[in-house]
PDB file of all heavy atoms in Angstrom:
ATOM      1  N   ASN V 492      24.459   9.715  -8.485  1.00 85.00           N
ATOM      2  CA  ASN V 492      25.422   8.595  -8.118  1.00 85.00           C
ATOM      3  C   ASN V 492      25.864   7.920  -9.436  1.00 85.00           C
ATOM      4  O   ASN V 492      25.040   7.101 -10.024  1.00 85.00           O
ATOM      5  CB  ASN V 492      24.686   7.667  -7.248  1.00 85.00           C
ATOM      6  CG  ASN V 492      25.495   6.504  -6.800  1.00 85.00           C
ATOM      7  OD1 ASN V 492      26.532   6.051  -7.317  1.00 85.00           O
ATOM      8  ND2 ASN V 492      25.177   5.966  -5.593  1.00 85.00           N
ATOM      9  N   PRO V 493      27.117   8.078  -9.822  1.00 92.00           N
ATOM     10  CA  PRO V 493      27.517   7.497 -11.206  1.00 92.00           C
ATOM     11  C   PRO V 493      27.539   5.942 -11.016  1.00 92.00           C
ATOM     12  O   PRO V 493      27.159   5.317 -12.156  1.00 92.00           O
ATOM     13  CB  PRO V 493      29.005   7.953 -11.245  1.00 92.00           C
ATOM     14  CG  PRO V 493      29.106   9.140 -10.375  1.00 92.00           C
ATOM     15  CD  PRO V 493      28.175   8.964  -9.297  1.00 92.00           C
ATOM     16  N   SER V 494      27.747   5.360  -9.853  1.00 93.00           N
ATOM     17  CA  SER V 494      27.643   3.964  -9.781  1.00 93.00           C
ATOM     18  C   SER V 494      26.271   3.411  -9.976  1.00 93.00           C
ATOM     19  O   SER V 494      26.115   2.482 -10.781  1.00 93.00           O
ATOM     20  CB  SER V 494      28.217   3.507  -8.385  1.00 93.00           C
ATOM     21  OG  SER V 494      28.110   2.084  -8.295  1.00 93.00           O
ATOM     22  N   ALA V 495      25.292   3.998  -9.337  1.00 92.00           N
ATOM     23  CA  ALA V 495      23.924   3.710  -9.723  1.00 92.00           C
ATOM     24  C   ALA V 495      23.477   3.699 -11.070  1.00 92.00           C
ATOM     25  O   ALA V 495      22.742   2.986 -11.634  1.00 92.00           O
ATOM     26  CB  ALA V 495      22.967   4.466  -8.604  1.00 92.00           C
ATOM     27  N   ARG V 496      23.912   4.884 -11.681  1.00 93.00           N
ATOM     28  CA  ARG V 496      23.626   5.281 -13.094  1.00 93.00           C
ATOM     29  C   ARG V 496      24.125   4.152 -13.931  1.00 93.00           C
ATOM     30  O   ARG V 496      23.511   3.700 -14.831  1.00 93.00           O
ATOM     31  CB  ARG V 496      24.281   6.652 -13.568  1.00 93.00           C
ATOM     32  CG  ARG V 496      23.506   7.772 -12.870  1.00 93.00           C
ATOM     33  CD  ARG V 496      23.962   9.081 -13.626  1.00 93.00           C
ATOM     34  NE  ARG V 496      23.389   9.246 -14.907  1.00 93.00           N
ATOM     35  CZ  ARG V 496      24.040   9.955 -15.873  1.00 93.00           C
ATOM     36  NH1 ARG V 496      25.244  10.281 -15.639  1.00 93.00           N
ATOM     37  NH2 ARG V 496      23.419   9.931 -17.074  1.00 93.00           N
ATOM     38  N   LEU V 497      25.397   3.776 -13.707  1.00 96.00           N
ATOM     39  CA  LEU V 497      25.981   2.672 -14.424  1.00 96.00           C
ATOM     40  C   LEU V 497      25.212   1.366 -14.355  1.00 96.00           C
ATOM     41  O   LEU V 497      25.016   0.638 -15.453  1.00 96.00           O
ATOM     42  CB  LEU V 497      27.463   2.493 -14.060  1.00 96.00           C
ATOM     43  CG  LEU V 497      28.237   1.370 -14.848  1.00 96.00           C
ATOM     44  CD1 LEU V 497      28.306   1.781 -16.250  1.00 96.00           C
ATOM     45  CD2 LEU V 497      29.699   1.304 -14.184  1.00 96.00           C
ATOM     46  N   GLU V 498      24.756   1.025 -13.205  1.00 96.00           N
ATOM     47  CA  GLU V 498      24.036  -0.193 -13.031  1.00 96.00           C
ATOM     48  C   GLU V 498      22.682  -0.061 -13.858  1.00 96.00           C
ATOM     49  O   GLU V 498      22.274  -1.078 -14.432  1.00 96.00           O
ATOM     50  CB  GLU V 498      23.748  -0.468 -11.542  1.00 96.00           C
ATOM     51  CG  GLU V 498      24.920  -0.702 -10.675  1.00 96.00           C
ATOM     52  CD  GLU V 498      25.547  -2.082 -10.949  1.00 96.00           C
ATOM     53  OE1 GLU V 498      24.709  -3.041 -11.102  1.00 96.00           O
ATOM     54  OE2 GLU V 498      26.724  -2.114 -11.312  1.00 96.00           O
ATOM     55  N   MET V 499      22.005   0.991 -13.712  1.00 96.00           N
ATOM     56  CA  MET V 499      20.828   1.242 -14.587  1.00 96.00           C
ATOM     57  C   MET V 499      21.053   1.246 -16.041  1.00 96.00           C
ATOM     58  O   MET V 499      20.399   0.505 -16.714  1.00 96.00           O
ATOM     59  CB  MET V 499      20.142   2.613 -14.087  1.00 96.00           C
ATOM     60  CG  MET V 499      18.975   3.101 -14.971  1.00 96.00           C
ATOM     61  SD  MET V 499      17.468   2.168 -14.366  1.00 96.00           S
ATOM     62  CE  MET V 499      16.338   3.146 -15.229  1.00 96.00           C
ATOM     63  N   PHE V 500      22.214   1.802 -16.486  1.00 97.00           N
ATOM     64  CA  PHE V 500      22.478   1.786 -17.790  1.00 97.00           C
ATOM     65  C   PHE V 500      22.755   0.267 -18.332  1.00 97.00           C
ATOM     66  O   PHE V 500      22.432   0.028 -19.335  1.00 97.00           O
ATOM     67  CB  PHE V 500      23.809   2.619 -18.084  1.00 97.00           C
ATOM     68  CG  PHE V 500      23.505   4.107 -18.077  1.00 97.00           C
ATOM     69  CD1 PHE V 500      24.557   5.106 -18.078  1.00 97.00           C
ATOM     70  CD2 PHE V 500      22.260   4.649 -17.953  1.00 97.00           C
ATOM     71  CE1 PHE V 500      24.325   6.434 -17.978  1.00 97.00           C
ATOM     72  CE2 PHE V 500      21.987   6.072 -17.841  1.00 97.00           C
ATOM     73  CZ  PHE V 500      22.987   6.906 -17.815  1.00 97.00           C
ATOM     74  N   THR V 501      23.472  -0.430 -17.549  1.00 97.00           N
ATOM     75  CA  THR V 501      23.803  -1.738 -17.927  1.00 97.00           C
ATOM     76  C   THR V 501      22.662  -2.634 -18.174  1.00 97.00           C
ATOM     77  O   THR V 501      22.514  -3.284 -19.265  1.00 97.00           O
ATOM     78  CB  THR V 501      24.734  -2.407 -16.895  1.00 97.00           C
ATOM     79  OG1 THR V 501      25.839  -1.497 -16.579  1.00 97.00           O
ATOM     80  CG2 THR V 501      25.315  -3.734 -17.360  1.00 97.00           C
ATOM     81  N   GLY V 502      21.665  -2.590 -17.237  1.00 97.00           N
ATOM     82  CA  GLY V 502      20.445  -3.416 -17.524  1.00 97.00           C
ATOM     83  C   GLY V 502      19.731  -2.957 -18.674  1.00 97.00           C
ATOM     84  O   GLY V 502      19.204  -3.687 -19.395  1.00 97.00           O
ATOM     85  N   THR V 503      19.608  -1.491 -18.843  1.00 98.00           N
ATOM     86  CA  THR V 503      18.969  -1.001 -20.130  1.00 98.00           C
ATOM     87  C   THR V 503      19.588  -1.407 -21.354  1.00 98.00           C
ATOM     88  O   THR V 503      18.918  -1.709 -22.238  1.00 98.00           O
ATOM     89  CB  THR V 503      18.974   0.489 -19.964  1.00 98.00           C
ATOM     90  OG1 THR V 503      18.276   0.818 -18.732  1.00 98.00           O
ATOM     91  CG2 THR V 503      18.147   1.163 -21.067  1.00 98.00           C
ATOM     92  N   LEU V 504      20.939  -1.382 -21.386  1.00 98.00           N
ATOM     93  CA  LEU V 504      21.662  -1.789 -22.648  1.00 98.00           C
ATOM     94  C   LEU V 504      21.592  -3.247 -22.984  1.00 98.00           C
ATOM     95  O   LEU V 504      21.461  -3.572 -24.135  1.00 98.00           O
ATOM     96  CB  LEU V 504      23.333  -1.444 -22.279  1.00 98.00           C
ATOM     97  CG  LEU V 504      23.634  -0.021 -22.553  1.00 98.00           C
ATOM     98  CD1 LEU V 504      25.063   0.112 -21.987  1.00 98.00           C
ATOM     99  CD2 LEU V 504      23.507   0.520 -23.910  1.00 98.00           C
ATOM    100  N   VAL V 505      21.371  -4.071 -22.046  1.00 98.00           N
ATOM    101  CA  VAL V 505      21.011  -5.504 -22.275  1.00 98.00           C
ATOM    102  C   VAL V 505      19.721  -5.551 -22.950  1.00 98.00           C
ATOM    103  O   VAL V 505      19.501  -6.274 -24.044  1.00 98.00           O
ATOM    104  CB  VAL V 505      21.027  -6.331 -20.972  1.00 98.00           C
ATOM    105  CG1 VAL V 505      20.543  -7.713 -21.389  1.00 98.00           C
ATOM    106  CG2 VAL V 505      22.458  -6.317 -20.278  1.00 98.00           C
ATOM    107  N   LEU V 506      18.691  -4.803 -22.510  1.00 98.00           N
ATOM    108  CA  LEU V 506      17.460  -4.740 -23.185  1.00 98.00           C
ATOM    109  C   LEU V 506      17.507  -4.197 -24.553  1.00 98.00           C
ATOM    110  O   LEU V 506      17.000  -4.781 -25.536  1.00 98.00           O
ATOM    111  CB  LEU V 506      16.529  -3.962 -22.332  1.00 98.00           C
ATOM    112  CG  LEU V 506      15.155  -3.509 -23.033  1.00 98.00           C
ATOM    113  CD1 LEU V 506      14.257  -4.877 -23.154  1.00 98.00           C
ATOM    114  CD2 LEU V 506      14.389  -2.575 -22.088  1.00 98.00           C
ATOM    115  N   LEU V 507      18.262  -3.061 -24.719  1.00 97.00           N
ATOM    116  CA  LEU V 507      18.369  -2.422 -26.092  1.00 97.00           C
ATOM    117  C   LEU V 507      19.118  -3.345 -27.031  1.00 97.00           C
ATOM    118  O   LEU V 507      18.711  -3.446 -28.266  1.00 97.00           O
ATOM    119  CB  LEU V 507      19.094  -1.061 -25.828  1.00 97.00           C
ATOM    120  CG  LEU V 507      18.229   0.045 -25.085  1.00 97.00           C
ATOM    121  CD1 LEU V 507      19.098   1.182 -24.931  1.00 97.00           C
ATOM    122  CD2 LEU V 507      16.917   0.309 -25.800  1.00 97.00           C
ATOM    123  N   GLN V 508      20.059  -4.052 -26.559  1.00 97.00           N
ATOM    124  CA  GLN V 508      20.863  -4.948 -27.486  1.00 97.00           C
ATOM    125  C   GLN V 508      19.787  -6.064 -27.874  1.00 97.00           C
ATOM    126  O   GLN V 508      19.971  -6.598 -29.099  1.00 97.00           O
ATOM    127  CB  GLN V 508      22.036  -5.528 -26.680  1.00 97.00           C
ATOM    128  CG  GLN V 508      23.209  -4.685 -26.494  1.00 97.00           C
ATOM    129  CD  GLN V 508      24.328  -5.243 -25.682  1.00 97.00           C
ATOM    130  OE1 GLN V 508      25.281  -4.594 -25.528  1.00 97.00           O
ATOM    131  NE2 GLN V 508      24.050  -6.469 -25.217  1.00 97.00           N
ATOM    132  N   ARG V 509      18.966  -6.539 -27.048  1.00 96.00           N
ATOM    133  CA  ARG V 509      18.131  -7.676 -27.450  1.00 96.00           C
ATOM    134  C   ARG V 509      17.058  -7.066 -28.482  1.00 96.00           C
ATOM    135  O   ARG V 509      16.768  -7.655 -29.502  1.00 96.00           O
ATOM    136  CB  ARG V 509      17.328  -8.115 -26.188  1.00 96.00           C
ATOM    137  CG  ARG V 509      16.340  -9.086 -26.385  1.00 96.00           C
ATOM    138  CD  ARG V 509      16.967 -10.439 -26.919  1.00 96.00           C
ATOM    139  NE  ARG V 509      15.882 -11.436 -27.316  1.00 96.00           N
ATOM    140  CZ  ARG V 509      16.181 -12.258 -28.280  1.00 96.00           C
ATOM    141  NH1 ARG V 509      17.319 -12.438 -28.871  1.00 96.00           N
ATOM    142  NH2 ARG V 509      15.093 -13.138 -28.520  1.00 96.00           N
ATOM    143  N   LEU V 510      16.675  -5.882 -28.345  1.00 96.00           N
ATOM    144  CA  LEU V 510      15.631  -5.270 -29.226  1.00 96.00           C
ATOM    145  C   LEU V 510      16.332  -5.098 -30.615  1.00 96.00           C
ATOM    146  O   LEU V 510      15.727  -5.308 -31.660  1.00 96.00           O
ATOM    147  CB  LEU V 510      15.068  -3.903 -28.752  1.00 96.00           C
ATOM    148  CG  LEU V 510      14.247  -4.056 -27.471  1.00 96.00           C
ATOM    149  CD1 LEU V 510      14.023  -2.649 -26.936  1.00 96.00           C
ATOM    150  CD2 LEU V 510      12.961  -4.775 -27.792  1.00 96.00           C
ATOM    151  N   LEU V 511      17.634  -4.697 -30.633  1.00 96.00           N
ATOM    152  CA  LEU V 511      18.362  -4.530 -31.796  1.00 96.00           C
ATOM    153  C   LEU V 511      18.510  -5.797 -32.553  1.00 96.00           C
ATOM    154  O   LEU V 511      18.357  -5.983 -33.726  1.00 96.00           O
ATOM    155  CB  LEU V 511      19.854  -3.871 -31.657  1.00 96.00           C
ATOM    156  CG  LEU V 511      19.715  -2.404 -31.280  1.00 96.00           C
ATOM    157  CD1 LEU V 511      21.216  -2.026 -30.899  1.00 96.00           C
ATOM    158  CD2 LEU V 511      19.266  -1.601 -32.455  1.00 96.00           C
ATOM    159  N   ALA V 512      18.767  -6.942 -31.833  1.00 95.00           N
ATOM    160  CA  ALA V 512      18.907  -8.308 -32.349  1.00 95.00           C
ATOM    161  C   ALA V 512      17.554  -8.786 -33.027  1.00 95.00           C
ATOM    162  O   ALA V 512      17.553  -9.538 -33.925  1.00 95.00           O
ATOM    163  CB  ALA V 512      19.476  -9.217 -31.336  1.00 95.00           C
ATOM    164  N   LEU V 513      16.491  -8.222 -32.441  1.00 94.00           N
ATOM    165  CA  LEU V 513      15.240  -8.570 -32.913  1.00 94.00           C
ATOM    166  C   LEU V 513      14.710  -7.789 -34.210  1.00 94.00           C
ATOM    167  O   LEU V 513      13.690  -8.041 -34.706  1.00 94.00           O
ATOM    168  CB  LEU V 513      14.038  -8.415 -31.921  1.00 94.00           C
ATOM    169  CG  LEU V 513      14.226  -9.479 -30.694  1.00 94.00           C
ATOM    170  CD1 LEU V 513      13.255  -9.052 -29.712  1.00 94.00           C
ATOM    171  CD2 LEU V 513      13.861 -10.897 -31.165  1.00 94.00           C
ATOM    172  N   GLY V 514      15.689  -6.856 -34.612  1.00 94.00           N
ATOM    173  CA  GLY V 514      15.416  -6.177 -35.738  1.00 94.00           C
ATOM    174  C   GLY V 514      14.589  -4.760 -35.441  1.00 94.00           C
ATOM    175  O   GLY V 514      13.948  -4.257 -36.311  1.00 94.00           O
ATOM    176  N   LEU V 515      14.529  -4.390 -34.224  1.00 95.00           N
ATOM    177  CA  LEU V 515      13.640  -3.281 -33.726  1.00 95.00           C
ATOM    178  C   LEU V 515      14.491  -2.021 -33.514  1.00 95.00           C
ATOM    179  O   LEU V 515      14.170  -1.220 -32.626  1.00 95.00           O
ATOM    180  CB  LEU V 515      12.951  -3.645 -32.490  1.00 95.00           C
ATOM    181  CG  LEU V 515      12.004  -4.962 -32.649  1.00 95.00           C
ATOM    182  CD1 LEU V 515      11.515  -5.397 -31.253  1.00 95.00           C
ATOM    183  CD2 LEU V 515      10.757  -4.477 -33.453  1.00 95.00           C
ATOM    184  N   ARG V 516      15.321  -1.733 -34.393  1.00 95.00           N
ATOM    185  CA  ARG V 516      16.101  -0.543 -34.245  1.00 95.00           C
ATOM    186  C   ARG V 516      15.334   0.683 -34.367  1.00 95.00           C
ATOM    187  O   ARG V 516      15.719   1.701 -33.620  1.00 95.00           O
ATOM    188  CB  ARG V 516      17.300  -0.496 -35.320  1.00 95.00           C
ATOM    189  CG  ARG V 516      16.829  -0.512 -36.625  1.00 95.00           C
ATOM    190  CD  ARG V 516      17.877  -0.565 -37.806  1.00 95.00           C
ATOM    191  NE  ARG V 516      18.670   0.688 -37.791  1.00 95.00           N
ATOM    192  CZ  ARG V 516      19.966   0.785 -37.582  1.00 95.00           C
ATOM    193  NH1 ARG V 516      20.584  -0.430 -37.304  1.00 95.00           N
ATOM    194  NH2 ARG V 516      20.719   1.836 -37.522  1.00 95.00           N
TER     195      ARG V 516
END
Side-chain angles (χ1 to χ4, degrees):
N492 183 336
S494 178
R496 290 188 75 210
L497 180 59
E498 292 293 311
M499 175 76 170
F500 287 172
T501 304
T503 302
L504 284 167
V505 174
L506 171 66
L507 297 174
Q508 287 176 178
R509 180 64 187 153
L510 293 171
L511 288 173
L513 291 171
L515 297 170
R516 58 182 295 122

